[in-house]
Amino acid sequence: MLTAEKPTMWRSRYDITNDGGRVARWEPSWWRSGGAFELDGQRYQVHGNALGSRFELIDRTGRQLASARRVGRKRWTVRSGDRTYEFRRASMWRGDQELLLGDQAVGSVRRSSVWRGSAVADLPGMPEPVQVFVLCVVLAMWDAETVAAVAASSGHA
């Protein structure tokens, strides 16, 4: 199970741990959707489109390892190799995401603390780089939703 937590409230990056040991640090891009993380000595880029609805996981050689489509919709997918993982928003009131097998939830990405911006991902059967990618995509989606809500409430939408 992966856990993502901001080291401080003032930073946008997240430390990602697996069973208590740090495995990666998600560093969102300041100027576009996406960011980067390092896992097992390998650096990965996460590229997103301007709307934040599509993301790609790119390795250091420039090869695409995974892609996420329709992010932010009720149902969305991640494709890696010949596998397609389906997700759905668990509730219209919360941002939690469920990993589906058929129509049955078999995993999830959920907020563990709204105030600290932390999250927990339980994504069985997925390679670790793809698990981290999914977690980073969901964090990026939540961060974009927060920015949009703040802008709307301040009259700058």
Side-chain angles (χ1 to χ4, degrees), residues 2 18 37 39-40 44 57 65-66 78-83 85 123-135:
L2 297 176
N18 191 352
F37 65 89
L39 176 68
D40 294 330
Y44 297 91
L57 176 61
L65 301 176
V78 171
R79 182 142 179 90
S80 177
D82 61 351
R83 296 282 316 263
Y85 303 96
L123 302 168
M126 243 182 238
E128 193 171 42
V130 179
Q131 288 184 46
V132 174
F133 170 66
V134 168
L135 178 56

Side-chain angles (χ1 to χ4, degrees), residues 31-151:
W31 53 279
R32 66 179 200 178
S33 189
F37 65 89
E38 190 169 309
L39 176 68
D40 294 330
Q42 299 285 328
R43 185 136 177 103
Y44 297 91
Q45 294 290 323
V46 177
H47 297 165
N49 68 348
L51 298 174
S53 61
R54 288 191 321 235
F55 291 86
E56 297 177 330
L57 176 61
I58 309 295
D59 71 9
R60 62 182 169 84
T61 67
R63 187 171 54 112
Q64 180 182 305
L65 301 176
S67 63
R69 300 286 182 257
R70 300 176 52 85
V71 176
R73 302 279 181 100
K74 171 121 176 104
R75 288 184 176 256
W76 55 285
T77 59
V78 171
R79 182 142 179 90
S80 177
D82 61 351
R83 296 282 316 263
T84 299
Y85 303 96
E86 233 184 300
F87 291 85
R88 76 173 168 216
R89 187 174 49 248
S91 157
M92 74 189 293
W93 309 113
R94 298 179 48 127
D96 296 358
Q97 305 294 312
E98 294 176 326
L99 171 63
L100 301 175
L101 182 58
D103 224 22
Q104 181 75 26
V106 295
S108 65
V109 180
R110 61 180 175 74
R111 290 187 193 269
S112 51
S113 169
V114 174
W115 302 111
R116 295 226 7 112
S118 56
V120 174
D122 180 17
L123 302 168
M126 243 182 238
E128 193 171 42
V130 179
Q131 288 184 46
V132 174
F133 170 66
V134 168
L135 178 56
C136 294
V137 165
V138 173
L139 291 170
M141 177 182 64
W142 289 341
D143 288 347
E145 288 170 354
T146 299
V147 168
V150 168

